[in-house]
Structure formats: structure tokens, C-alpha cells
């Protein structure tokens, strides 16, 4: 409205202007209603997760809880509940360590060395990896684990899950490696650093956000994986939380909602805490030392 | 501190691209040496080959009295400052400066002392705890220099040291760099595509084109006596005027004008020879009225350069059509009107004659070594006489200490067989000695 001398003839446009404003307001109301609906759709299950564990008689609907901690006490009485969370931590932690270590080494090599057919190899691996831990290969994988005496062994689960996650992890990390200029490494080389020193002191610290991303992603993947540990681990003492969740029934064969909701809350907390920790610690930020 | 000697150095990339072609070069101990050329001429490849980051496919590299051709970069005792400085972003300034010492397993306390001391020398005190990302461009460069200095290398290699700084900072950094090199007295090789940077910083310059050295000389020599038309066109903030000409007796016919042939080359040309007449815009005087021995042309563009102006003239072509252009630098207040006719007179002794792209040198009697190269700097002499390479065109010339620096290295028929370089313009060369960086 501060267009200077052109403002006086404006009153003529006041009519259509207010119509537009009225319609705009309606559109705004519609938009926010839609956003609220979508938000509600996704928020309700989370709300259930927050309230049901503290409810005396949880149902599958969300309601104001009749506050109690009995459900937690009941869960602690279950011999497998807490141990299964520890098993989940072992499996996901072990897998994350393996995946990050091998993916970092492979990604660095693939990023810096020119190998003929490198891109085809990467895309091929990526394509196949979605099959490896998938349902389709469960039979041959079981057979393989059986012959290698890896049935009912946590190591077997870790190895199979790592194999499935590695190609995508290499793919993600190679992108991070490609993004760091080689002049850092060349600079270190001129100062006499050995290849091991270059990787350990220069390359890995610089792709730390990438390593954190891959580690979090691997943990979250293993944490939620049901099929592989369900098939390969016989002893319920070794079963992770995702498998134990499946066993929480009442005597009548119905899903035990009281235990299930409480266990779900405990089951999701570590992953949430990990995300918060990693993003505050590594924050996916990067101090630049290269002037662009 | 050490000299660098390259002997028939070649680099062919796996794809068959030849980046360096049988280079011979001797860089003296303590010299500030520039590798200058357009992009893609191989200058960075040459620097990286000296550093050991590229492996030479033929020839040898010697640093001091060691043959380092097959040595890893870390064992050559060189330090390199990269164009992007390559400061490690996850380390503080102190850790960055101390990194070479960390590699050499120097204890932490000694590293701290050395980093503090080096940082103080370069005015970085107070920044030691910062990360590279928190520094300005000039500070980052100084940290990179400090890191290179910390391990006392024999040779400094700088890749485009000033290209990442803004214009004002660049001048500051240039003076700083030159002073630092003088104080350290360390052999220093840098790469640049900016001829002004090379002229300002270097004791000697090698001009490269497609993997070959076209000329090696002091800034004064490459500016005053470009050995070939490539160097002539490349050196100078305004390129040299290169005009097609024909020899006629003791004169040359250029764009319809008859200009005196520089005295020293008269014996080298015959009547009717097609040559190229070269004169820098700075060495032309523009007159508003006809004068003898002048190139006449119509003024088409006047560009203000501050204290002077660059005037472009259209010279008449052979049959009255528009011919070649000519550029003249005129002092402020003397700018001609656009569309008027100007007469440009080359200053005595400042014009050069090229045949087949190579500078015509005067043949002087043996012993006539009143050559400017002597007076230019100690580096120019020592680099040649100290050189252990005996079969390169640089050193096998009979007059070892003067013919090298001014003459073309690649062209043996002209540059190699004519002993005394840099005597085309006697008077100009004489005064040139005073302008040297000595």
C-alpha cells in the first residue's frame, strides 16, 4: 500500500479485493482442517502408546486412562520381557558395529579407487540387498545357517542382518566419501601420513555424520526385524523384543493389550532415545575447512 | 633448503593424455619460482609430480642431491599448500599446524610449543583454539602456510596460493607471501594462471603450454623479451599487439605504415620476409597529429584503467577494409575522442620481431655479455651453474649464464643456436636491469 502516487485510484478495486480475501479465508480454513485430520490420524496411535500402558483396562481405543502402574509390574513378571530388550540391544548393536566398520572401509575404497564396473556393482548390490533379508530368501538362508551351525546363534542373526544392510550402507557412505575433497588426504600424504593414519585421523572423522546416520539406520532396522530372529533363534532366552512381542497373549488366546501396550512403550523408548542422542551429539552439522 | 632439478620429466595419463612432455627445468636453492600457464597446460600436474602425488611416467625429479622420482610424497621432505588449503575441519588451528609433527611422532608438549611459535610468526596467536570454519579466507591461508612451515621442509609447493582470496586481500597476501619466502629463504614453487601474480611474486617464471615449457626467465625477461608469440600474448595485463608485417630493407611494413626495423635483428631477416611485429600497448605513444614512423588508426574504444586509459584503434587493412586492431595505453588526461584518428609510435627499442612464432634474437660477437640477465638477481645465475643436468637445452648453451634465462627452451633452431639472449633491444635491456627484483 505504499506505492506512492499510484495509490489514490485504489478504492475502485476494493470490491473484488475483499471477495478474494473472503475466499482466501475459506481456503485457509479448509487447508488447516485437512492438516489437522492428517495429524490426528497419525497422532492417535502414538497417543494410545502413551496412555494405554497406564490404563487399568486398556482397549484398542484411546481414552483417558484410569492411572495405574500394574501393567509394568505384570510385565516384569514375564521372564522374557526385559531379557528380550537386552537381546535386541545385543543384536542391533552388533549389527551396527559390523555394518559401519565394513561399509566405511568399502565405501572409502569404492570412492577413491577406480574399479571398472564400479557403479554397476553398487547398483547390483543395492538391488540384491533388498532381497537378501527379505522373505523370499528365508528358506535358502535357513539352509545356509543350518549347515554352518548358526541356528540358534546370535552371531548368525547378526551376520545375516549385516549382509542385508551392508549394500545400502555402502551406498549411503560412498556418497559421504565422494563429498569430501581428496585434497585433505593428499595434504596428509605429503606430510607423510600412512594410509591407515589417513583413514583413521582424516577420513573417518570427516564422515562422522555419515557414520552416525548409518549406525542409527542399522540399529532401527534390526530393532524392528521380526522374521530373521524368529526363524533362526530357537531358545526364547535369546529372542529379541520384536519376537517376544508376538508371544504376549492372554490365557484365552487373545492379544494381551495391557502387556502389549506396556511392552510397546518400553520397546520404542530405546530407539527414540538413540535418535535424540545421536542428533544432539553429531547434529548432522559440518565445520568446513575447505573454502569453496 | 634444496634445489629442484627435473630431467626429461614426462607424465602420460592412462587415457593417453600427455600432461607433461620431456620437461627440463632447474630451480635454484632458495628461489621463488612460478609455474605459469593457461588452464590445462600441465602446471598443476607438474607441481603434483614434484610433490609425488602424481607418478612421473618418464624422466627424473631430484630434490637437493636425492633422486626422489620413485619416493612417496611423505619421504620427499616437501610441504604443499593446496588451492583450497585443505585444513582438516575436525581439528583446531593448533591441531592442524601440529599435524605434520604428530605424523612424525613428536610428543604432544613439543607439538604445542612448535604450533604456538609458528602461529605467532604468522600472526595467528589467539586463533589457536578455533576451527578452520571459523576463520576468514586470509587466516585460513596463513594456517595452511603455518602447517607447511611447522615441519621445516626443504621445498614449499603452493598450488594457486592466492586464487581463493578476494581482490583486496590478494594484494595483501601477495606481499605477505613474498616477504615470508624471503625470510625463510626456502625454495618455493607455486602454480598460477595469473600472469600479474607470477610477475609480482617470482624470482623466475616458467611459462607452460600444453605440457611444454615455452620460456624460463626472470619477470623482467619474460615481460620484455617474450621468447615466442604465445608468451608474448600471455604475459602482460593487456596482451602485446602482434601484427603481421613484411620486411622491406631496414624497415617493416605494418598495416600500411613503415616502421623502422629494430637494429639488432636486421642481419637476421631478408627483404620480403613475413614476420610478426610485436609491441606492448604500454610502449606505444599516441599522437593526435600525423608523425613519421607511426601506425595510424581510428579510435573505436576507450577503457579507463584508473591512472591511464586503454585505447583500441582499428588499423586499415590491405585493401581499405577494416584491418587488425591495435591497443595503446595513454596516460590520464590524454584520451583521444572516439572516432578520431590517432597515430601510435612505438618507443625506441621496445618493439620485437617474431618469425614462425619465435623471437628473433640478435647475434652478438662472443663475449658481448652486456646482458640484463646478469644483474637481475643472484638466483638467475646460480640456477644455471649449479645445475647438475648437463644435456638439457638449458645448460648446454655456450654462454651458460645469460642465454638460458631469456631464451626459448623448447625451440632449439632459434633459441638454442643463438647464444646471447635478450639483446634485441639494447637500450631497453640496459635499463631493464634496474627494474629487476635484485
Amino acid at each position: 500500500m505504499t506505492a506512492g502516487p499510484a495509490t489514490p485510484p485504489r478504492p475502485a478495486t476494493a470490491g473484488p479485493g475483499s471477495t478474494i480475501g473472503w475466499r482466501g479465508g475459506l481456503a485457509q480454513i479448509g487447508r488447516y482442517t485437512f492438516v489437522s485430520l492428517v495429524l490426528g490420524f497419525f497422532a492417535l496411535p502414538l497417543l494410545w502408546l502413551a496412555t494405554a500402558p497406564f490404563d487399568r483396562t486398556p482397549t484398542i481405543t484411546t481414552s483417558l486412562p484410569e492411572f495405574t502402574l500394574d501393567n509394568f509390574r505384570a510385565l516384569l513378571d514375564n521372564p522374557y520381557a526385559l531379557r528380550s530388550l537386552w537381546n535386541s540391544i545385543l543384536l542391533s548393536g552388533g549389527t551396527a558395529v559390523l555394518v559401519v566398520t565394513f561399509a566405511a572401509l568399502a565405501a572409502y575404497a569404492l570412492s577413491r579407487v577406480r574399479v571398472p564396473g564400479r557403479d554397476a556393482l553398487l547398483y547390483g548390490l543395492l538391488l540384491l540387498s533388498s532381497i537378501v533379508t527379505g522373505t523370499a530368501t528365508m528358506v535358502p538362508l535357513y539352509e545356509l545357517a543350518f549347515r554352518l551351525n548358526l541356528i540358534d546363534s546370535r552371531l548368525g542373526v547378526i551376520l545375516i542382518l549385516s549382509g542385508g544392510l551392508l549394500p545400502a550402507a555402502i551406498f549411503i557412505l560412498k556418497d559421504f566419501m565422494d563429498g569430501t575433497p581428496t585434497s585433505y588426504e593428499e595434504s596428509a600424504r605429503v606430510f607423510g601420513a600412512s594410509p591407515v593414519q589417513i583413514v583413521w585421523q582424516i577420513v573417518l572423522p570427516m564422515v562422522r555424520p555419515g557414520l552416525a546416520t548409518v549406525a542409527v539406520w542399522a540399529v532401527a532396522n534390526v530393532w524392528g526385524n521380526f522374521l530373521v530372529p524368529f526363524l533362526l533363534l530357537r531358545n526364547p532366552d535369546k529372542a529379541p523384543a520384536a519376537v517376544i512381542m508376538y508371544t504376549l497373549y492372554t490365557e484365552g488366546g487373545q492379544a494381551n493389550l495391557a502387556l502389549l501396550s506396556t511392552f510397546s512403550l518400553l520397546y520404542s523408548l530405546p530407539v527414540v532415545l538413540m535418535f535424540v542422542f545421536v542428533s544432539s551429539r553429531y547434529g548432522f552439522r559440518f565445520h568446513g575447512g575447505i573454502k569453496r | 633448503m634444496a634445489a629442484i632439478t627435473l630431467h626429461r620429466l614426462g607424465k602420460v595419463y592412462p587415457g593417453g593424455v600427455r600432461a607433461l612432455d620431456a620437461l627440463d627445468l632447474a630451480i635454484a636453492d632458495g628461489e621463488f619460482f612460478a609455474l605459469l600457464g593457461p588452464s590445462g597446460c600441465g602446471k598443476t600436474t607438474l607441481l603434483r609430480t614434484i610433490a609425488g602425488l602424481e607418478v612421473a611416467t618418464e624422466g627424473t625429479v631430484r630434490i637437493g642431491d636425492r633422486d626422489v622420482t620413485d619416493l612417496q610424497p611423505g619421504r620427499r621432505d616437501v610441504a604443499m599448500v593446496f588451492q583450497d588449503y585443505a585444513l582438516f575441519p575436525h581439528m583446531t588451528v593448533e591441531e592442524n599446524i601440529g599435524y605434520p609433527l604428530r605424523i612424525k611422532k613428536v610428543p604432544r608438549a613439543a607439538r604445542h610449543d612448535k604450533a604456538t611459535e609458528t602461529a605467532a610468526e604468522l600472526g595467528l596467536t589467539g586463533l589457536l583454539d578455533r576451527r578452520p570454519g571459523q576463520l576468514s579466507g586470509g587466516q585460513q591461508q596463513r594456517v595452511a602456510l603455518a602447517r607447511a612451515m611447522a615441519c621445516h621442509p626443504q621445498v614449499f609447493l603452493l598450488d594457486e596460493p592466492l586464487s581463493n582470496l578476494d581482490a583486496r586481500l590478494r594484494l595483501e597476501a601477495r606481499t605477505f607471501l613474498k616477504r615470508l619466502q624471503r625470510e625463510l629463504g626456502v625454495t618455493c614453487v607455486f602454480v598460477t594462471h595469473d600472469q600479474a601474480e607470477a610477475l609480482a611474486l617470482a624470482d623466475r617464471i616458467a611459462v607452460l603450454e600444453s605440457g611444454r615449457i615455452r620460456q624460463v626467465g626472470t619477470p623482467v625477461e619474460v615481460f620484455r623479451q617474450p621468447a615466442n608469440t604465445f608468451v608474448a600474448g600471455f604475459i602482460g595485463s593487456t596482451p602485446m599487439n602482434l601484427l603481421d608485417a613484411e620486411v622491406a630493407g631496414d624497415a617493416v611494413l605494418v598495416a600500411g605504415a613503415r616502421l623502422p626495423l629494430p637494429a639488432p635483428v636486421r642481419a637476421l631477416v631478408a627483404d620480403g620476409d613475413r614476420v610478426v611485429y610485436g609491441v606492448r600497448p604500454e610502449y606505444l605513444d599516441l599522437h593526435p597529429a600525423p608523425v613519421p614512423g607511426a601506425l595510424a588508426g581510428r579510435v573505436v574504444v576507450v577503457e579507463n584503467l584508473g591512472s591511464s586509459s586503454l585505447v583500441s584503434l582499428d588499423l586499415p587493412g590491405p585493401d581499405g577494409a577494416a584491418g587488425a586492431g591495435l591497443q595503446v595505453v595513454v596516460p590520464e588526461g590524454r584520451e583521444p575522442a572516439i572516432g578520431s584518428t590517432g597515430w601510435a609510435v612505438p618507443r625506441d627499442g621496445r618493439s620485437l620481431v617474431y618469425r614462425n612464432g619465435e623471437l628473433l634474437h640478435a647475434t652478438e660477437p662472443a663475449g658481448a655479455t652486456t646482458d640484463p640477465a646478469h644483474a637481475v638477481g643472484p638466483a638467475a645465475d646460480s640456477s644455471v651453474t649449479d645445475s647438475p643436468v648437463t644435456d638439457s637445452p638449458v645448460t648446454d648453451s655456450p654462454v651458460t649464464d645469460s642465454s638460458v634465462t631469456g631464451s626459448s627452451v623448447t625451440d632449439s633452431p632459434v633459441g638454442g643456436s643463438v647464444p646471447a639472449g635478450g639483446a634485441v633491444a639494447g637500450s631497453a635491456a640496459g635499463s631493464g636491469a634496474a627494474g629487476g627484483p635484485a
Side-chain angles (χ1 to χ4, degrees):
Chain A
M1 302 307 128
T2 54
T7 23
R10 258 195 88 74
T13 60
S18 66
T19 318
I20 289 168
W22 181 75
R23 275 195 201 155
L26 208 64
Q28 199 120 346
I29 291 171
R31 202 152 53 228
Y32 278 113
T33 312
F34 176 72
V35 170
S36 305
L37 284 176
V38 172
L39 215 62
F41 185 77
F42 286 104
L44 276 176
L46 290 176
L47 207 59
W48 180 84
L49 192 62
T51 59
F54 304 101
D55 202 334
R56 201 171 298 279
T57 50
T59 56
I60 50 170
T61 58
T62 305
S63 58
L64 212 60
E66 239 179 292
F67 188 80
T68 176
L69 288 175
D70 286 351
N71 296 340
F72 287 91
R73 206 163 296 130
L75 190 70
L76 291 183
D77 290 340
N78 185 313
Y80 302 118
L82 279 187
R83 182 177 298 168
S84 74
L85 283 173
W86 174 242
N87 287 336
S88 278
I89 289 173
L90 280 184
L91 290 182
S92 54
T95 310
V97 167
L98 274 189
V99 166
V100 167
T101 308
F102 287 108
L105 295 175
Y108 179 59
L110 284 170
S111 168
R112 295 296 189 251
V113 182
R114 298 216 61 75
V115 186
R118 177 186 67 180
D119 291 348
L121 177 85
L122 270 173
Y123 282 108
L125 279 178
L126 197 61
L127 194 72
L128 291 174
S129 75
S130 53
I131 304 171
V132 168
T133 41
T135 324
T137 51
M138 259 359 278
V139 175
L141 274 179
Y142 185 87
E143 181 74 15
L144 193 67
F146 184 75
R147 297 203 179 187
L148 290 175
N149 215 2
L150 286 173
I151 297 291
D152 205 24
S153 134
R154 290 197 187 94
L155 181 66
V157 176
I158 288 176
L159 285 179
I160 285 177
L161 289 172
S162 299
L165 296 176
L166 261 175
I170 292 171
F171 206 76
I172 296 170
L173 272 182
K174 182 180 166 289
D175 239 31
F176 275 90
M177 301 279 186
D178 286 347
T180 52
T182 50
S183 55
Y184 290 124
E185 293 146 55
E186 288 176 341
S187 183
R189 257 186 89 196
V190 175
F191 292 128
S194 68
V196 173
Q197 280 174 318
I198 290 175
V199 169
W200 194 247
Q201 294 170 350
I202 309 296
V203 177
L204 290 184
M206 275 194 306
V207 296
R208 213 160 42 187
L211 300 180
T213 307
V214 167
V216 166
W217 170 79
V219 166
N221 249 293
V222 177
W223 200 264
N225 195 304
F226 167 77
L227 193 62
V228 178
F230 178 69
L231 289 180
L232 293 185
L233 296 176
R234 289 294 164 80
N235 189 340
D237 280 347
K238 293 180 182 171
V243 174
I244 290 301
M245 178 99 68
Y246 181 65
T247 66
L248 297 176
Y249 290 97
T250 58
E251 293 80 355
Q254 292 280 312
N256 187 342
L257 282 182
L259 282 188
L260 209 54
S261 63
T262 314
F263 192 61
S264 299
L265 187 65
L266 290 182
Y267 173 66
S268 41
L269 270 181
V271 180
V272 172
L273 288 179
M274 176 187 66
F275 269 106
V276 170
F277 171 75
V278 170
S279 95
S280 69
R281 177 101 165 74
Y282 296 103
F284 307 109
R285 72 200 130 81
F286 193 56
H287 296 292
I290 292 280
K291 194 164 191 294
R292 283 172 222 276
Chain B
M1 317 299 127
I4 302 170
T5 316
L6 311 179
H7 175 56
R8 301 205 62 75
L9 190 69
K11 170 74 185 174
V12 181
Y13 282 107
V17 179
R18 180 169 278 276
L20 301 176
D21 195 0
L23 287 185
D24 283 301
L25 190 61
I27 298 166
D29 187 9
E31 197 170 23
F32 204 174
F33 195 91
L35 301 172
L36 173 66
S39 49
C41 70
K43 55 189 190 298
T44 300
T45 307
L46 178 54
L47 194 78
R48 290 170 58 87
T49 311
I50 297 174
L53 294 169
E54 305 279 351
V55 179
T57 45
E58 51 206 62
T60 57
V61 180
R62 297 181 69 85
I63 295 176
D65 45 11
R66 288 193 305 157
D67 185 340
V68 299
T69 317
D70 298 318
L71 281 189
Q72 281 292 312
R75 306 192 49 205
R76 296 189 175 200
D77 204 8
V78 300
M80 185 158 170
V81 175
F82 287 78
Q83 185 174 3
D84 53 20
Y85 311 140
L87 299 175
F88 307 128
H90 55 287
M91 298 185 191
T92 63
V93 168
E94 185 188 324
E95 286 166 336
N96 262 291
I97 297 175
Y99 187 74
L101 303 171
R102 181 172 160 195
I103 295 293
K104 292 198 166 63
K105 306 251 190 304
V106 175
R108 189 176 290 270
R111 241 154 55 197
H112 171 81
D113 293 346
K114 185 69 197 169
T116 314
E117 179 196 323
T118 316
E121 276 175 54
L122 297 187
L124 293 166
T125 313
L127 302 176
L128 283 172
D129 294 329
R130 299 228 194 145
R131 300 216 178 235
Q134 298 165 304
L135 301 179
S136 71
Q139 289 167 337
Q140 289 187 8
Q141 192 200 32
R142 293 213 297 276
V143 174
L145 286 169
R147 186 172 65 175
M149 280 163 60
C151 55
H152 292 293
Q154 289 192 315
V155 172
F156 264 42
L157 304 171
L158 313 173
D159 188 4
E160 302 265 5
L162 303 177
S163 66
N164 259 331
L165 303 172
D166 51 51
R168 181 165 287 277
L169 206 55
R170 195 173 298 179
L171 284 182
E172 225 173 84
R174 200 167 77 184
T175 315
F176 175 83
L177 208 58
K178 188 151 184 167
R179 172 191 238 158
L180 183 70
Q181 194 270 342
R182 279 289 130 81
E183 285 170 6
L184 297 175
V186 65
T187 313
C188 186
V189 184
F190 74 102
V191 155
T192 180
H193 63 269
D194 182 351
Q195 52 84 29
E197 212 171 285
L199 290 175
L201 276 175
D203 295 329
R204 280 201 306 149
I205 300 172
V207 186
L208 280 86
E209 187 200 13
S210 26
R212 293 161 179 268
I213 294 179
R214 300 307 305 269
Q215 186 174 7
V216 180
T218 63
V220 173
E221 285 161 354
V222 292
F223 187 77
R224 295 254 170 88
Q225 304 281 326
N228 43 58
T229 47
F230 172 78
V231 177
F234 194 74
I235 299 278
S237 50
T238 50
M240 185 185 277
N241 293 301
L242 294 169
L243 304 163
D244 288 327
E246 192 182 333
V247 177
D250 57 355
V252 279
L253 300 174
V254 185
R258 200 178 160 82
L259 304 177
L261 189 63
V265 293
R266 270 171 207 166
L268 299 174
V269 291
D271 249 17
D273 274 2
R274 310 290 308 178
V275 293
V276 169
Y277 184 82
V279 61
R280 289 205 179 275
E282 295 88 347
Y283 297 154
L284 285 165
D285 291 318
L286 194 65
H287 295 271
V291 281
L295 291 156
R298 203 166 57 82
V299 177
V300 285
V301 177
V302 177
E303 292 160 64
N304 195 326
L305 302 180
S307 64
S308 58
S309 287
L310 183 66
V311 178
S312 297
L313 302 175
D314 267 354
L315 300 178
D319 45 5
L326 180 75
Q327 293 196 306
V328 184
V329 171
V330 299
E332 77 187 312
R334 302 265 307 271
E335 296 87 353
I338 291 180
S340 65
T341 305
W343 282 266
V345 184
R347 271 178 225 164
D348 196 25
R350 290 300 175 99
S351 47
L352 305 168
V353 176
Y354 293 89
R355 186 167 54 193
N356 300 327
E358 299 296 332
L359 182 67
L360 290 179
H361 292 266
T363 316
E364 290 198 359
T369 49
T370 53
D371 189 77
H374 278 296
V376 165
D381 288 352
S382 59
S383 66
V384 177
T385 44
D386 290 351
S387 164
V389 177
T390 48
D391 58 346
S392 74
V394 174
T395 43
D396 65 1
S397 171
V399 187
T400 40
D401 59 350
S402 66
S403 67
V404 177
T405 45
S407 67
S408 161
V409 177
T410 50
D411 183 76
S412 39
V414 176
S417 63
V418 181
V424 175
S427 62
S431 64

